Amino acid sequence: MALLDGGMLTRQKSWLKAEPPAIIVATVASLCQMVEKRAFSLGSIKILVIDEVDFIFGSSKQVNSLRKILNSYTAASSRQTIFASASIPQHNRFVHDCVQHKWTKSDVVHVHVNPVQPMPSHLRHTYVICSKKERLHVLLSLLERDAPKSVIIFVAQQSEKSKRAGNPPSSTLVVEFLRAEYKGTLEVLVLEEDMNFNARATSFTEVKGKGFL
């Protein structure tokens, strides 16, 4: 099994040559990059599983790579294709598009899975309505009020318009704000998809066994 996660291309190519995998787990972009660099071919692929497919189709950064995998690097007629998602709003329309664009074979089956167990009783879901300018301060007040042992904060991707305007990424704004204003004991760390493998591994090592933001 091989993992292609956006790390060092040279190292991953050497892994693939040393022991050709039967299963590849990859980000869409890394998989395309490896095919384009002729590290391997997807021509003999038997099963293709795309998780969070609605998110990838909605991402301007990833959709072109996904279309290449579905239509150029592999053939729908020679593989089983599985699209997984918890949030495709119009299933019938999506199934129609799958056949129309030849992402899948024509005999598509929609499998709807009901949750077997309800949410654990100790979980509590809340949401806060506030203005864009207030978001970071509201986040800070929640951290101070609830005093959690550890926290994961998900940050939206930066839009192309924001990049052209020269604005820093959302993750940078959040991290800099927390490092300046948060007075608690939790360490503030950042994980981003563009980080190299060593930096990401270091971040994971640092959080083991202690609280973090």
Side-chain angles (χ1 to χ4, degrees), residues 148-160:
K149 293 180 180 178
S150 288
V151 182
I152 299 176
I153 302 168
F154 291 97
V155 181
Q157 286 184 322
Q158 187 179 21
S159 67
E160 293 300 322

Side-chain angles (χ1 to χ4, degrees), residues 28 48-59 62-63 66-67 70 81-89 91 94 98 103-104:
V28 170
L48 178 66
V49 181
I50 307 293
D51 195 17
E52 304 293 358
V53 67
D54 56 326
F55 171 78
I56 298 176
F57 272 122
S59 168
Q62 301 186 73
V63 66
L66 179 56
R67 289 181 188 276
L70 293 173
T81 309
I82 301 172
F83 290 143
S85 170
S87 54
I88 295 178
H91 297 97
F94 183 74
C98 287
W103 300 331
T104 66

Side-chain angles (χ1 to χ4, degrees), residues 23-89:
I23 299 172
I24 296 175
V25 180
T27 62
V28 170
S30 294
L31 189 61
C32 269
Q33 188 180 30
M34 285 299 209
V35 173
E36 287 159 6
K37 295 287 184 182
R38 301 185 186 281
F40 56 78
S41 168
L42 297 178
S44 61
I45 193 169
K46 295 290 187 292
I47 301 173
L48 178 66
V49 181
I50 307 293
D51 195 17
E52 304 293 358
V53 67
D54 56 326
F55 171 78
I56 298 176
F57 272 122
S59 168
S60 58
K61 288 177 65 177
Q62 301 186 73
V63 66
N64 289 334
S65 296
L66 179 56
R67 289 181 188 276
K68 287 179 184 177
I69 293 170
L70 293 173
N71 296 119
S72 300
Y73 302 152
T74 65
S77 59
S78 60
R79 65 166 197 257
Q80 180 185 8
T81 309
I82 301 172
F83 290 143
S85 170
S87 54
I88 295 178

